[in-house]
Amino acid sequence: MPVLDPKQLAFRNAMAHMTAAVNVITSNGPAGRCGITATAVCSVTDSPPTLMVCVNRSSALNPVFKGNGQLCVNVLGGEHEEVARHFAGMTGVAMDQRFGLHPWRDGRQALPVLEGALASLQGRITEVQEIGTHSVMLVELDEISVREQGDSLVYFSRCFHRLQHPRPAA
């Protein structure tokens, strides 16, 4: 593991304090089927609906996403910590086996969509910028589904946490 300079270490520690939604980014196509746990996802615009997804350039999955040209952002619910761990490579389960451990369905153009995800956002990679260690992918969305209820899975201080859905006042 490379030694980090003080500024890099400070940046990583600061980012660990930034609570983020946990997602599994999936893809399927000529380059293969894959998925990766990621928090580096954010909205860009609603016209047209577009997301930004960041994937480490050294990841073996980076060229798979680019080669397929499409992906699905599966926003994980609080009950999906095990899914997050599998797709983060924390459990040692092979990629093909990961898709067999939880209920998935084929979305648009056979994109893997997690059943019960808080939201599934399927789209086309329309632009890629290489910035430092990461590829920043702009994804124009073609299909969006949302589950109205459920707790959220977030990542904070280098740990997964379940964030309760706000309950309506009685």
Side-chain angles (χ1 to χ4, degrees):
M1 184 173 202
V3 176
L4 300 177
D5 73 41
K7 191 183 237 182
Q8 287 173 304
L9 185 59
F11 178 77
R12 287 185 181 195
N13 287 336
M15 293 301 97
H17 287 53
M18 187 180 289
T19 304
V22 180
N23 311 281
V24 170
I25 314 302
T26 58
S27 189
N28 198 7
R33 182 173 73 160
C34 70
I36 190 169
T37 300
T39 56
V41 174
C42 81
S43 65
V44 175
T45 182
D46 66 355
S47 183
T50 304
L51 293 175
M52 179 183 71
V53 176
C54 301
V55 177
N56 195 303
R57 291 168 70 181
S58 68
S59 168
L61 303 182
N62 187 309
V64 178
F65 289 112
K66 291 174 183 173
N68 289 337
Q70 63 176 356
L71 58 79
C72 179
V73 174
N74 295 279
V75 181
L76 300 187
E79 70 276 17
H80 293 130
E81 182 175 340
E82 183 178 57
V83 176
R85 289 183 179 284
H86 288 317
F87 283 91
M90 300 168 93
T91 61
V93 175
M95 184 62 68
D96 285 343
Q97 293 175 321
R98 295 173 192 178
F99 286 103
L101 297 173
H102 302 279
W104 294 86
R105 67 175 173 83
D106 282 345
R108 202 177 162 281
Q109 297 187 359
L111 281 172
V113 176
L114 179 64
E115 290 289 343
L118 289 180
S120 297
L121 304 110
Q122 302 174 60
R124 296 163 281 112
I125 300 170
T126 58
E127 188 177 333
V128 178
Q129 295 263 334
E130 305 297 341
I131 301 174
T133 58
H134 282 69
S135 296
V136 178
M137 302 176 193
L138 296 182
V139 181
E140 192 171 318
L141 301 175
D142 298 311
E143 191 165 324
I144 301 168
S145 61
V146 178
R147 183 177 88 177
E148 295 301 327
Q149 293 296 318
D151 296 342
S152 178
L153 186 64
V154 298
Y155 199 68
F156 172 71
S157 195
R158 297 181 175 92
C159 295
F160 294 108
H161 301 274
R162 189 175 190 140
L163 182 62
Q164 278 194 317
H165 188 279
R167 309 293 182 235

